[in-house]
Amino acid sequence: SFSWRVRVVSGKQQGATGPGEVDRAEGTGRGLRRRDVLASSLVLGFGAAGASWAPAAAAAAVGDSVLPATPEAQLRDVVRLQGSLREEDVPWWFTGVIFAVTGDHETPRPLLRFEGMEIYWFAHLADGYLLGGNTVTFFRDFDTHEYLAELRNPWTERVDKVKPAVQGGNLGFKYSTEGIWPARLDGTAFAEPRRAPLALQWHGIGEHVWLQHQTIYPPGMPPMHGQRQSMFTSRRAIADRKATRLPATFSSTVFMGWPKWMDMAERPGHVVWHAAGAKLRGIEELPREYRDRAEREFPERLTARPKPA
């Protein structure tokens, strides 16, 4: 079993970094820090700020009139599902567990719990949308559920400082009828995008509708990195063509290397994040304990409104 040393977090922490962060990954011409990519790692890309889908994904089921079929309808509905057709903040709240995987013959073991928020803003472009956002994730003890500031590493026996995972602000995603791809917040892509008519993997049965996707990351990411996610809404909601944003929930699994603050880069193994959460009407719906800490430590992350040029 794991051995913990827990200290409840208070006061502001500086220099927070994301899980498994490396110093930089190369984009096209300019360095890209990995923490800027990870905003979608948990929620929609939660995962990064945002998520990215390969244009070759399976299209909506044939014959289901509620599911979007044309690239134009798919673009509208993915924006409504993940965020809003209006330019406004759209927060999501999520919780989950990080599992440690140390060998082919070892059962994955729960390492930490986490709780976080991602907040999105879809800016309107002439040919689609530009998604930007922030992520703030705090870690909790698996057994007591208390916020963690320190952890006694069960492999190294060191007492590690547990840092919040805070991402966003520099990386976005371009959404268009020709696909979805990583982009800087000025709209420029990191590489020449693979353009094809937008075709996402929608499913529906009974009153339930969901979208599945695989996150696509910019060049230069470490090999042990991947995410698969599903977002859920109702048939009644998606059929309401007047609605600019849809109520939604999600579930996501992320594969990553050891958190950087554990200092275990040379030790075999990796971690698996499993997250689930819901789209909120505003940050006032965040749980009080989480919201108080986020407002105290990272108030600038509680909006994704683009900064004036």
Side-chain angles (χ1 to χ4, degrees), residues 58-289:
V62 176
D64 193 327
S65 60
V66 172
L67 302 184
T70 67
E72 293 76 14
Q74 297 214 30
L75 177 61
R76 173 184 170 86
D77 280 349
V78 70
V79 172
R80 293 200 301 157
L81 183 62
Q82 188 175 356
S84 172
L85 294 174
R86 292 195 295 262
E87 292 187 319
E88 61 182 346
D89 279 327
V90 179
W92 292 70
W93 179 71
F94 55 90
T95 62
V97 174
I98 299 176
F99 292 88
V101 182
T102 55
D104 293 340
H105 303 290
E106 298 290 332
T107 300
R109 295 186 290 177
L111 180 64
L112 296 168
R113 296 184 189 271
F114 58 87
E115 174 187 17
M117 176 204 69
E118 286 204 352
I119 189 164
Y120 298 131
W121 185 290
F122 277 91
H124 293 186
L125 303 175
D127 59 346
Y129 302 87
L130 182 65
L131 173 64
N134 294 311
T135 305
V136 177
T137 304
F138 301 130
F139 297 97
R140 292 182 179 270
D141 181 86
F142 182 78
D143 294 315
T144 70
H145 293 217
E146 289 193 80
Y147 283 134
L148 280 173
E150 295 177 340
L151 176 150
R152 184 175 297 280
N153 190 314
W155 292 281
T156 66
E157 294 300 321
R158 292 189 306 264
V159 175
D160 298 322
K161 293 187 179 298
V162 179
K163 298 181 179 181
V166 182
Q167 301 104 9
N170 298 313
L171 172 67
F173 286 83
K174 171 70 177 293
Y175 283 56
S176 78
T177 57
E178 295 182 306
I180 302 172
W181 53 79
R184 298 180 178 88
L185 291 185
D186 62 4
T188 59
F190 288 96
E192 181 59 32
R194 180 163 59 102
R195 299 175 185 270
L198 186 63
L200 306 179
Q201 189 176 347
W202 297 88
H203 301 275
I205 188 169
E207 184 58 22
H208 307 287
V209 172
W210 63 95
L211 170 66
Q212 292 182 333
H213 66 86
Q214 188 93 6
T215 301
I216 308 265
Y217 297 101
M221 293 298 291
M224 173 46 69
H225 202 86
Q227 175 177 253
R228 184 73 179 176
Q229 184 188 87
S230 298
M231 287 186 285
F232 304 86
T233 190
S234 69
R235 183 175 296 271
R236 180 177 302 178
I238 202 170
D240 181 1
R241 309 314 296 171
K242 295 181 180 180
T244 57
R245 56 191 290 172
L246 305 179
T249 57
F250 88 99
S251 181
S252 177
T253 301
V254 181
F255 301 86
M256 297 178 64
W258 296 111
K260 184 179 179 182
W261 47 262
M262 293 183 73
D263 193 21
M264 290 174 52
E266 303 305 317
R267 184 177 292 267
H270 61 278
V271 296
V272 178
W273 299 58
H274 180 70
K279 189 176 182 180
L280 308 180
R281 288 172 292 185
I283 62 170
E284 65 278 358
E285 292 188 340
L286 288 167
R288 172 52 61 183
E289 184 182 20

